[in-house]
Amino acid sequence: MMSASRHRAVAAMIGMAVAVGSLATASVSAAHPGEGDHADSSSFEKIPLVTEGLSDPFELDVADDGRVVYIERTGAVKVLEQDTLRQTTALDFGYSLDLLTQSDGLLGLTLDNDFAENGWLYLLWSDPDVAKMNLSRFTMGPDNTIDPASEERLLDYTIWRGEGRANSHMGGSLAMGPDGNLHVATGDNADPFDQSGYTPIDEREGRRAWDAQGTSANTDDLRGKVLRIHPEDDGTYTVPEGNLFAPGTEGARPEIYGMGFRNPFRITVDPETSAVLVGDYGPDARVANPLRGPEGMVELIRMTEPGNHGWPYCHANNQAYIDYDFATGESGEAFDCANPVNESPNNTGLRELPPSQLPLVWYGYGESPEFPELASGGAAPMAGPVYRYDAENPVKTKFPESYDGHWFVSEYARNFYKVLSIDEATGDLLSIDPFLPEESFVSPFEAEFGPDGSLYIMDFGSGRGAGRGSTNTDAGIYRVDYVADGRRPISSFTPDVESGSAPLTVSFDGEASHSPDGLDITYAWDFENDGVVDSTEVSPVHTYEERGQFSARLTVTDSDGLTGVAVQKITAGNTRPEVSFDTPADGGFAELGDTVPYSVDVVDAEDGSTAAGTIDCSRVTVNTQLGHDTHAHPLDNYTGCSGSVFLDPADHGVGQNVYGVLGAGYQDLGTEGVPELTGQDRIRLQVKDKEAEFFSEASGVTVADDSSARGGRLVSDVDDGDWIAFEPVDLTGITGLTLGVVPGAAGATVEVRTGSPTGPKIGQVKVGAAAAAGQVVSPSIDIEGQSGTTTLYLVVSDRGQSGSTEQAQGADDALALDWLVFHGRGVADATAPVVQAEASRTGGPDNLSVELSGSAVAPEDREITSYLWDLGDGTTSEGQEVTHEYSAPGRYTARLIATDSEGTRDWATVELVVADSGR
């Protein structure tokens, strides 16, 4: 970031269109209506800069001369020249697959305020040999490369690598203030998956990696913090005045500006006020629990003073967690947000902590009553930049003055950008406005304003870059220009082939290029990106006679002289391999905790194929990811054409939309003078125990909050002809399906179909009329497992069944669907508990009392750690033997779930029919 005066100087040098207030928030209204004076979407244009070859893109910055410097978590620092779209790898840490299993890697980047003169940039990166993070200054040379020997190590800090999944939350964002202070965001480095979605405060011996009191709440630790230091010319740093703890304070690090963060994943600094803007993640509980604490919430924070932001004791608008004892399972008192005390044995710092401060914005999974403009869905806030308008900036594509002082934020899970207006005198949030609501974003990840006044954004895409040559699908880096005074032409082209043996003849199609303003355009093709125009046709043909990898560039120019550029790589002398999973099938069923066999097929024109046995299987990589809502957390990496992967249980708590994701890649051998190429495949697995509200598509239904529902939400208003669908689905190994249903006032039939709402019916069940409002039944359906990826539909059909007026009294007309449980091992192997369950009786009149009992045999070298009865009427009970009374008539499926010491679980069921004694 830089001052307004520096922006003016930079803009003059560029000469071309390359194009939080106080800590405690003031009063909050129920809504923050838009200001109404912002330019509409048609006044902006999203221009692609990099749309291929990105491997976990993480952070970017823009140099004074328009170069975009960005990093990939897999280890590379890259430089993009905007006029030609040429890219250079400046430095590569070359991380191994073992290190990249979670969120380690190259995490943070920012340029020095005087980068144009000194070439300095700052990186936060995982040490490959020691469990620590390094903060270093490097120097970039005039040729866009970085000599590793130029490193000056500012500081480092220890991390819990290899202890549970502690390295899932590492933060990493870097930001420079206008005063030359460097800000560093660090995650709590605590395993987030073993607390049922609540706060990680496990104080048991050997569990330090599950206790954020030893990191975020520890004043003597640099994790879970925003640090503020001042880099000096000699490669050291000093601590500026005004941090949270004065130098010399015993038990406190003076580098700490803000503490009490979970995962401050993105931070920026206002270039005018030096306010620090933070997007902090929260835990994953869908519903509050009086024995544990509030539902999972996330925060957007604007800091103008140092402070403690509460984690792991308080979160959101200072909602307190409960002092839960993981050793005894007992709940204590709620933590005191105004006077937090850290009594953890893992704490090495101060016992009494500063009071917990309020964020500017907080929200959870559902629609926020305080901030309804943020809608609902997954919760993953990204703190973008504050725009500062400079009237003396000559670049005509700079953002307009109406955005001056506004904070741009994005949502990684909800795929939008918003603009926040803030009263800088009081800290009040004035408005939340949409930004480019009609534009498509994949996974908004990072944003910075360049010195040209344009917004540079990074989409993370899907998949991940861990693996030899693996890249993220649909990832991209873009520039957003203000184009009210004229749009640049769009350069876009497709080659009929992008790789193959030499000589390689490629037909280029530039028909998609156009002027949004309807102006005439001309074409200039540079097939080797060497500065020579090779063709001016719309769709030329070119033969690459020599072997090598080339960047084909198309520059289109409109009649006003504005240009657009697009680049794609063409490889002559090597063919990209084709990679696909043979097993498991896309959409196959496997629970988190299962072991899943896999096999990968590779076909490569030069290297051969797995079928022929000519592929070096050590070059085939397979990775596991934990899908969560619309994004995925990296987990483990494997090598080999076949084998088994373990789906980490990674507990997110009840009612979460979690699932397994597998990625496969093969990097071929390449040849002399021609680089290796990689082929990839990615599949999603389905968990067998699903919430109905996490459907892929639906017709005629609504999703409603319901405190009595599992996970706090259900699919309601399901009438005749309505349906919900799930995809991708492959029913291999599935033998049955149980539905958690809230019946309506009249009977109905739920049909299970494949392919479409009217496709082949593979099962159905009748659901009788409700005996009372809110009644839950759980009928089961036998279905024959079918191979092949499809879409599964649950379609409701009203067969005219009706209950008595008395039965239906208080019940809604339509039924509701709460959850689905599929039976069978699916695509998982047999390494799971073998469970048996039985009931003293399987039927009788209402108020039926049933004794349920069961047992389980654990796989070899494991033990059964828990038994849980899901009784099928919305209640659960722990233990092998329970007695339960079914008060209302209906069909129920009681399920005994046994979990072993690896977190693998399986279940057995007992079906019960409860009759209406009043009939």
Side-chain angles (χ1 to χ4, degrees):
M1 297 297 186
M2 55 189 74
S3 65
S5 61
R6 183 159 181 74
H7 267 300
R8 288 192 289 271
V10 167
M13 180 181 70
I14 293 178
M16 61 178 183
V18 296
V20 240
S22 67
L23 285 168
T25 55
S27 60
V28 178
S29 62
H32 305 83
E35 296 181 327
D37 60 349
H38 291 313
D40 61 32
S41 295
S42 64
S43 298
F44 295 91
E45 187 170 26
K46 188 176 83 169
I47 303 197
L49 301 177
V50 183
T51 56
E52 61 177 351
L54 291 166
S55 301
D56 284 12
F58 241 60
E59 198 157 34
L60 63 81
D61 206 346
V62 186
D64 296 353
D65 57 9
R67 285 178 294 168
V68 178
V69 184
Y70 69 93
I71 60 172
E72 297 172 318
R73 185 179 70 91
T74 49
V77 181
K78 294 188 175 181
V79 182
L80 171 73
E81 300 176 32
Q82 291 196 63
D83 54 347
T84 64
L85 299 187
R86 292 191 187 97
Q87 294 191 66
T88 304
T89 299
L91 177 68
D92 195 339
F93 288 99
Y95 288 121
S96 67
L97 285 174
D98 290 342
L99 186 132
L100 294 170
T101 55
Q102 297 175 60
S103 296
D104 271 305
L106 177 54
L107 305 184
L109 158 78
T110 193
L111 304 183
D112 190 85
N113 286 349
D114 296 319
F115 176 78
E117 290 77 35
N118 57 33
W120 291 345
L121 70 161
Y122 302 90
L123 301 176
L124 185 68
W125 54 287
S126 297
D127 194 299
D129 303 315
V130 181
K132 65 177 182 176
M133 297 297 299
N134 300 321
L135 177 66
S136 303
R137 187 189 79 194
F138 289 88
T139 303
M140 183 177 291
D143 59 351
N144 288 339
T145 62
I146 297 171
D147 183 352
S150 69
E151 180 195 2
E152 297 287 351
R153 184 75 53 84
L154 275 72
L155 60 80
D156 56 43
Y157 56 91
T158 299
I159 57 177
W160 301 149
R161 181 186 300 157
E163 299 184 37
R165 296 290 183 184
N167 281 25
S168 295
H169 287 162
M170 302 300 292
S173 183
L174 303 181
M176 290 292 290
D179 47 13
N181 289 333
L182 175 61
H183 301 74
V184 185
T186 66
D188 71 357
N189 196 204
D191 187 311
F193 300 130
D194 207 10
Q195 297 85 29
S196 299
Y198 297 97
T199 190
I201 51 173
D202 191 343
E203 299 177 1
R204 291 175 292 178
E205 186 176 354
R207 301 278 290 181
R208 64 179 185 179
W210 287 260
D211 184 12
Q213 297 174 105
T215 58
S216 295
N218 187 349
T219 61
D220 193 35
D221 194 282
L222 298 183
R223 291 167 291 180
K225 310 294 192 298
V226 171
L227 313 178
R228 187 177 69 160
I229 63 175
H230 191 86
E232 302 297 334
D233 290 350
D234 62 359
T236 62
Y237 70 89
T238 55
V239 176
E241 293 184 2
N243 278 359
L244 188 56
F245 304 107
T249 301
E250 186 176 356
R253 294 290 296 263
E255 297 93 343
I256 298 171
Y257 183 71
M259 65 177 291
F261 298 104
R262 184 178 190 244
N263 194 28
F265 196 67
R266 284 290 169 266
I267 62 169
T268 56
V269 178
D270 187 330
E272 185 168 304
T273 66
S274 294
V276 181
L277 296 310
V278 183
D280 192 24
Y281 280 50
D284 299 305
R286 292 267 174 176
V287 294
N289 183 337
L291 300 178
R292 301 296 297 276
E295 65 173 302
M297 307 281 275
V298 297
E299 303 176 345
L300 290 168
I301 299 164
R302 182 176 183 269
M303 301 175 65
T304 57
E305 299 176 6
N308 175 21
H309 290 266
W311 183 257
Y313 302 123
C314 305
H315 214 50
N317 54 331
N318 275 345
Q319 297 185 38
Y321 284 99
I322 305 300
D323 190 2
Y324 179 77
D325 189 326
F326 281 80
T328 64
E330 296 179 353
S331 297
E333 300 295 323
F335 292 109
D336 185 350
C337 299
N339 300 283
V341 176
N342 187 348
E343 297 181 309
S344 169
N346 298 307
N347 179 34
T348 60
L350 301 177
R351 178 177 177 274
E352 297 180 359
L353 305 179
S356 176
Q357 304 298 306
L358 292 176
L360 183 71
V361 173
W362 60 93
Y363 59 95
Y365 292 97
E367 183 175 294
S368 167
E370 296 89 358
F371 311 100
E373 301 86 355
L374 299 177
S376 62
M382 299 290 189
V386 173
Y387 178 63
R388 291 298 173 180
Y389 178 77
D390 179 7
E392 297 183 28
N393 181 349
V395 182
K396 70 177 184 179
T397 52
K398 66 179 180 289
F399 273 43
E401 189 173 6
S402 64
Y403 286 108
D404 182 62
H406 287 60
W407 182 17
F408 286 70
V409 303
S410 63
E411 237 295 342
Y412 174 68
R414 301 182 188 182
N415 299 328
F416 63 60
Y417 278 85
K418 300 285 185 181
V419 181
L420 277 59
S421 174
I422 300 166
D423 185 324
E424 294 180 358
T426 64
D428 284 354
L429 175 63
L430 302 178
S431 68
I432 299 177
D433 289 280
F435 180 67
L436 301 184
E438 299 173 0
E439 184 59 73
S440 174
F441 299 104
V442 183
S443 299
F445 205 72
E446 157 77 330
E448 299 286 351
F449 277 101
D452 53 359
S454 289
L455 182 67
Y456 292 77
I457 63 176
M458 175 183 283
D459 271 7
F460 189 77
S462 58
R464 55 185 295 209
R468 294 184 180 89
S470 297
T471 57
N472 298 54
T473 303
D474 296 326
I477 297 174
Y478 304 87
R479 187 185 71 240
V480 179
D481 291 341
Y482 179 62
V483 293
D485 295 331
R487 293 176 176 272
R488 291 175 171 273
I490 303 298
S491 176
S492 178
F493 69 92
T494 56
D496 64 339
V497 294
E498 52 87 28
S499 66
S501 58
L504 179 67
T505 299
V506 182
S507 296
F508 293 95
D509 183 358
E511 288 283 356
S513 299
H514 66 284
S515 165
D517 294 335
L519 302 179
D520 293 334
I521 59 173
T522 58
Y523 299 77
W525 294 87
D526 181 352
F527 297 125
E528 299 182 11
N529 206 4
D530 58 3
V532 177
V533 176
D534 300 305
S535 175
T536 58
E537 298 177 17
V538 176
S539 298
V541 177
H542 179 73
T543 299
Y544 291 89
E545 301 287 351
E546 304 295 327
R547 299 158 61 87
Q549 189 170 71
F550 307 92
S551 291
R553 175 162 57 98
L554 171 60
T555 303
V556 294
T557 305
D558 67 21
S559 53
D560 283 347
L562 295 177
T563 61
V565 181
V567 170
Q568 291 192 46
K569 290 181 180 179
I570 306 294
T571 304
N574 189 19
T575 308
R576 189 175 301 280
E578 298 176 7
V579 176
S580 61
F581 278 99
D582 182 39
T583 57
D586 191 21
F589 283 83
E591 280 293 289
L592 300 180
D594 281 339
T595 299
V596 178
Y598 75 86
S599 63
V600 176
D601 290 335
V602 177
V603 177
D604 185 87
E606 291 79 23
D607 300 352
S609 67
T610 47
T614 56
I615 294 296
D616 179 359
C617 287
S618 68
R619 300 179 68 84
V620 174
T621 60
V622 172
N623 61 69
T624 59
Q625 302 163 56
L626 175 67
H628 183 202
D629 295 321
T630 59
H631 61 279
H633 304 281
L635 293 175
D636 295 312
N637 297 316
Y638 302 80
T639 59
C641 297
S642 61
S644 294
V645 298
F646 178 67
L647 303 180
D648 194 294
D651 177 28
H652 272 58
V654 174
Q656 288 295 324
N657 184 19
V658 292
Y659 48 90
V661 176
L662 302 185
Y666 169 72
Q667 186 177 62
D668 67 20
L669 298 174
T671 188
E672 184 177 355
V674 185
E676 302 93 340
L677 294 177
T678 300
Q680 300 181 152
D681 191 21
R682 184 172 183 261
I683 62 173
R684 169 178 172 165
L685 302 179
Q686 297 282 358
V687 292
K688 296 183 293 180
D689 193 339
K690 300 179 65 69
E691 295 296 315
E693 63 267 24
F694 298 139
F695 51 74
S696 303
E697 56 180 328
S699 175
V701 305
T702 59
V703 175
D705 293 331
D706 188 326
S707 60
S708 64
R710 194 181 74 170
R713 307 186 87 195
L714 47 66
V715 178
S716 64
D717 299 326
V718 189
D719 292 303
D720 181 39
D722 293 345
W723 52 263
I724 61 174
F726 300 86
E727 54 117 12
V729 167
D730 184 289
L731 293 171
T732 299
I734 296 300
T735 59
L737 169 63
T738 298
L739 302 176
V741 183
V742 181
T749 297
V750 180
E751 302 172 343
V752 185
R753 296 180 179 268
T754 59
S756 78
T758 58
K761 183 168 63 176
I762 62 173
Q764 70 177 34
V765 67
K766 292 183 178 180
V767 179
Q775 173 196 359
V776 177
V777 297
S778 52
S780 288
I781 308 169
D782 291 331
I783 58 177
E784 183 178 350
Q786 302 176 1
S787 298
T789 300
T790 186
T791 302
L792 190 74
Y793 290 82
L794 300 184
V795 184
V796 170
S797 173
D798 182 357
R799 300 302 186 192
Q801 304 174 59
S802 61
S804 67
T805 303
E806 182 180 358
Q807 284 179 314
Q809 186 174 4
D812 291 335
D813 290 339
L815 61 76
L817 294 170
D818 191 355
W819 46 263
L820 300 79
V821 172
F822 293 84
H823 305 295
R825 292 296 295 157
V827 297
D829 69 7
T831 310
V834 178
V835 190
Q836 292 183 325
E838 59 183 7
S840 60
R841 55 196 303 193
T842 58
D846 49 14
N847 298 314
L848 177 72
S849 181
V850 181
E851 295 176 0
L852 297 160
S853 61
S855 62
V857 178
E860 186 177 357
D861 298 325
R862 302 185 189 181
E863 60 182 12
I864 300 298
T865 56
S866 72
Y867 290 92
L868 176 69
W869 282 95
D870 179 346
L871 296 162
D873 60 354
T875 62
T876 60
S877 183
E878 296 182 2
Q880 287 183 254
E881 299 179 357
V882 301
T883 299
H884 185 65
E885 183 176 290
Y886 291 89
S887 59
R891 294 177 58 184
Y892 300 92
T893 302
R895 180 169 58 122
L896 175 59
I897 307 167
T899 304
D900 67 23
S901 49
E902 289 294 317
T904 303
R905 65 179 193 163
D906 209 338
W907 49 78
T909 60
V910 177
E911 294 187 41
L912 305 108
V913 178
V914 179
D916 183 358
S917 60
R919 287 191 169 186

